[in-house]
Amino acid sequence: MSWQHQILRVNLSNLSCTIEPLNEEWAQSYLGQRGLGTRYLYEEIDPRVDPLSPENKLIFATGPLTGTMASTGGRYSVITKGALTNAIACSNSGGQFGAELKLAGYDLLILEGKAREPVYLHIENERVRLLPAAHLWGRSVWETETTIKQTHNDPLIHVASVGPSAEYGCRFACVVNDMHRAAGRSGVGAVMGSKHLKAIAVRGTKGLSVSDPEAFMQIVTDTAQAMREDDGRKALTKDGTISMMDTTNVYGTLPTRNFRDVQFEGADKIGMGAMQAANKNGHVNLVTNSACFGCTIGCGRVCHIDPEHFSVKDKPQYHGASGGLEYETAYALGSAVGVDDIDAATYCGFLCNEYGMDPISLGGSISAAMELFDIGAIDEAVTGGIKLEFGSAEALCAMTEAVARGEGFGRDVGMGSRLLCEKYGHPELSMSVKGQEFAAYDGRSMQGMGLGYATSNRGACHLRAGPYEDDFTTLETAGKAQVVKETQDLIAAVDSSGLCLFSGFGGFSNELVAGHINAACTGEWDLGRLQETGERIWNLERQFNLAAGLTGKDDTLPPRILTEPAPSGVAKGLVCRLDEMLPKYYQLRGWDETGVPAPETLARLGLSGSR
C-alpha cells in the first residue's frame, strides 16, 4: 500500500494520455521516486540519446510517503538524462506539487516525444488533457502559474512549469513549482522545454491508504514529538540553511571567487545576521519562514528586497515578498562571485525562480566567466559591455538578467561553466564534475565531500553524500570512503521515499524512516533493506552513466582542487587527496579499478538482467 499502483504516460508527439498499472516488482525493489523513476528511464531510453532530443524521456516521480501524514512527506523528483551533464539526472523538489500529483492517483508521470506546438498538461484525477500553451510560451514561471490558475478558476491547482531560460535551451534550466520551489539541478527544465511542454497543472482529490494505519499513525506521532524537541529542527526553523555560512566561513570551506579562496571577507553581509537585521534604510530582508507539504520544520525563507536598492528601484514587480536566499543560493550569488550585497543576491534569486534557473549552476557559471574576464580571456566586447569583475553586484545582476532572457553573452553563460570555459580556452576554470557546478563546500577542507563530488552520479552535488560530521571532525582521508559510500546509499533510499533529506537534520532518525516505510508499504522494511535498496539504486545509476559513455575518468575534480593548496582556513596548504580515497571507494562498492561494477555485485543487487 501507499503506492497508488498506477502511472500516467503522456506522449507529446501524438498527444495521447494513458493510464497504466505500476510495475509492482520494481516498486518493491526501488521503492519510488528517485529509484523507481530511474529504473523506468533506464529500461525505456537509450542512455546515449541526446538529452534535448524527443527520444529522451522526462519522468515526474513521487515516493510511497509523498502525500501522507509523514513529516516532510511532500517531495517529488524529476528524472531524465541531464541537459547539463549528459548523465543520469534526478532533481528533487518540495512545495505542494508532488503531493498533489500523488493525490491525483499517480506514482509516476512519464513524458515522451515532443509536441509540435507548446502545450501544457492539465490533470484532474483521471481527467487528463493536453492544452495549447502558445500564449504562455515566452512568459515567466510566475506569469504562467498565475494564468493557469485563472484560466481554470481554481486557486488550489498546483503548477510545475519552465521559464524562458528552458525555452531557449539554457543547460541549467530547472522546473519550478509553487512559484519558488524547484527541481533545480542538472538541466531537467531544459529537457522539459525541449519537448514544448510549458507546464503541468494538477488537481488531485483522491485519498491515500497505508498498509498498517495504526502503526503508521503511531510512528508519525512519535516522530513529531522527536522533531518538536530536537535542537537541529529548532535551528532550521528559526534560521534556515543560511546559518551554515557562519560555520563554513570560519572553517575555511566557503568557496569564494570561483574557488580561488575558501573564506569570504563579506560573509557577514550575506549571511543569517544580514538577513535578519535592518539595513541603513531600516529595511529587513527576512519576512518569515515557510514550509512545504506536511513539513514540521519550515526551513524555507520568505524575503523582500529593499525597494530603494538599485536592482529593483524602478521595478515595482519585485517589491513584494517571495522565496528568499538559502545557503546554497547565498553562496552561488554571493561568495562564489565575490559579491557581499544581500539585496543583489536576493534579486538574482528571484530571477532564478521567475525564469527557471538553477542558482548554483548560474553562480558557478558567472564566477567562471568572471575569472575568464579577470585573466583577459574575454573582455567587454564579448560580455556586451558588462564589466564582469569579481565583487561587482551590478555585473552580477546584469549577467543574471542576460542569462535569464538568453541575451548576448548570457547564452554562453547559459551553457554552463564547462562548455563556457572550453569555448574560451580555459576548461580548467570550470569548477564542476561531469559538467555540474560545485555546491557550497570546498573539497580541500572537506575531503569526504571532495570524494562525494567526484563520484556523484549526477555530477557535483552536496546532497548525494553526507560526510559533513566526519569532515568537520578530521582532515584525514582514512575512513572517508566508507562514510561516503554508506551515506550515498542511504540518501538514495530516502530520496526514493518521498521524505525530505533535511528531516535527518531535525530529529527524524534513519530508524524512523525505515519504520514509516514499513508501516506504509507492503513487505518487511527495516534499515538493512533500506540501505540495500539505496545501494541498488546507486549501482543502477552507475550502469546508466556507463552506458551513456561516462567512465571512471569522469570521477575526478578540477585541477584547482587537486593541485592548488587551500590558501587559508583549517586546511591551509592542503589539496584534496582524491587519489588516496577513490581506490578504496571502488573496492567498497564492489567495482573494479576502473569503476565498473563487478558481475557479482550486480548479481547480488538483482541488476544482472537489467536491459
Side-chain angles (χ1 to χ4, degrees), residues 294-377:
C295 180
T296 55
I297 300 175
C299 72
R301 303 294 97 174
V302 176
C303 297
H304 59 168
I305 304 164
D306 186 341
E308 294 301 311
H309 190 263
F310 76 86
S311 63
V312 300
K313 192 169 185 178
D314 299 318
K315 302 170 186 174
Q317 68 269 33
Y318 298 110
H319 291 182
S322 191
L325 296 174
E326 318 259 351
Y327 171 57
E328 295 293 335
T329 313
Y331 137 74
L333 304 174
S335 65
V337 289
V339 170
D340 62 5
D341 185 329
I342 194 169
D343 283 312
T346 303
Y347 170 64
C348 293
F350 278 17
L351 290 178
C352 285
N353 295 332
E354 184 184 15
Y355 284 84
M357 302 180 293
D358 171 21
I360 300 177
S361 283
L362 172 70
S365 298
I366 292 177
S367 68
M370 286 179 168
E371 186 160 2
L372 288 169
F373 190 91
D374 185 65
I375 66 173

Side-chain angles (χ1 to χ4, degrees), residues 224-531:
Q225 182 62 32
M227 296 181 76
R228 185 178 300 114
E229 298 171 356
D230 187 81
D231 289 340
R233 194 279 309 160
K234 294 175 183 177
L236 277 172
T237 301
K238 178 179 178 292
D239 297 323
T241 62
I242 200 168
S243 61
M244 178 60 77
M245 185 165 288
D246 295 336
T247 301
T248 57
N249 195 49
V250 169
Y251 194 73
T253 194
L254 176 60
T256 301
R257 289 178 282 273
N258 204 35
F259 286 72
R260 283 177 167 178
D261 299 301
V262 294
Q263 292 176 305
F264 183 40
E265 66 281 359
D268 61 329
K269 297 180 180 178
I270 56 171
M272 176 183 64
M275 179 178 280
Q276 297 176 350
N279 67 8
K280 62 183 180 181
N281 297 327
H283 178 87
V284 178
N285 183 269
L286 180 66
V287 176
T288 187
N289 68 323
S290 65
C292 301
F293 178 91
C295 180
T296 55
I297 300 175
C299 72
R301 303 294 97 174
V302 176
C303 297
H304 59 168
I305 304 164
D306 186 341
E308 294 301 311
H309 190 263
F310 76 86
S311 63
V312 300
K313 192 169 185 178
D314 299 318
K315 302 170 186 174
Q317 68 269 33
Y318 298 110
H319 291 182
S322 191
L325 296 174
E326 318 259 351
Y327 171 57
E328 295 293 335
T329 313
Y331 137 74
L333 304 174
S335 65
V337 289
V339 170
D340 62 5
D341 185 329
I342 194 169
D343 283 312
T346 303
Y347 170 64
C348 293
F350 278 17
L351 290 178
C352 285
N353 295 332
E354 184 184 15
Y355 284 84
M357 302 180 293
D358 171 21
I360 300 177
S361 283
L362 172 70
S365 298
I366 292 177
S367 68
M370 286 179 168
E371 186 160 2
L372 288 169
F373 190 91
D374 185 65
I375 66 173
I378 60 176
D379 55 22
E380 290 180 62
V382 173
T383 64
I386 299 174
K387 200 170 184 181
L388 208 54
E389 295 179 330
F390 283 119
S392 172
E394 291 79 6
L396 170 66
C397 294
M399 189 50 61
T400 299
E401 292 169 352
V403 177
R405 297 166 186 152
E407 297 172 347
F409 184 64
R411 283 197 176 238
D412 281 356
V413 177
M415 296 189 300
S417 66
R418 177 171 65 178
L419 295 178
L420 171 73
C421 292
E422 287 176 355
K423 177 174 180 176
Y424 291 101
H426 289 276
E428 75 281 1
L429 298 185
S430 171
M431 303 306 296
S432 65
V433 172
K434 302 177 178 73
Q436 180 155 281
E437 287 72 21
F438 279 13
Y441 303 92
D442 191 285
R444 292 165 287 193
S445 51
M446 296 180 68
Q447 296 284 329
M449 187 59 72
L451 177 63
Y453 283 161
T455 58
S456 171
N457 290 321
R458 73 164 181 174
C461 179
H462 63 298
L463 295 175
R464 284 298 189 264
Y468 297 96
E469 183 176 355
D470 188 74
D471 274 347
F472 283 120
T473 301
T474 177
L475 291 167
E476 297 301 319
T477 59
K480 299 290 187 187
Q482 184 79 32
V483 171
V484 168
K485 188 266 182 190
E486 290 180 356
T487 56
Q488 284 176 337
D489 291 345
L490 186 61
I491 286 169
V494 175
D495 276 346
S496 302
S497 71
L499 297 177
C500 176
L501 280 182
F502 282 8
S503 62
F505 298 111
F508 205 137
S509 69
N510 297 332
E511 289 76 14
L512 287 172
V513 173
H516 275 76
I517 296 170
N518 191 53
C521 300
T522 53
E524 297 296 322
W525 291 87
D526 58 16
L527 189 55
R529 181 177 178 184
L530 203 62
Q531 193 84 29

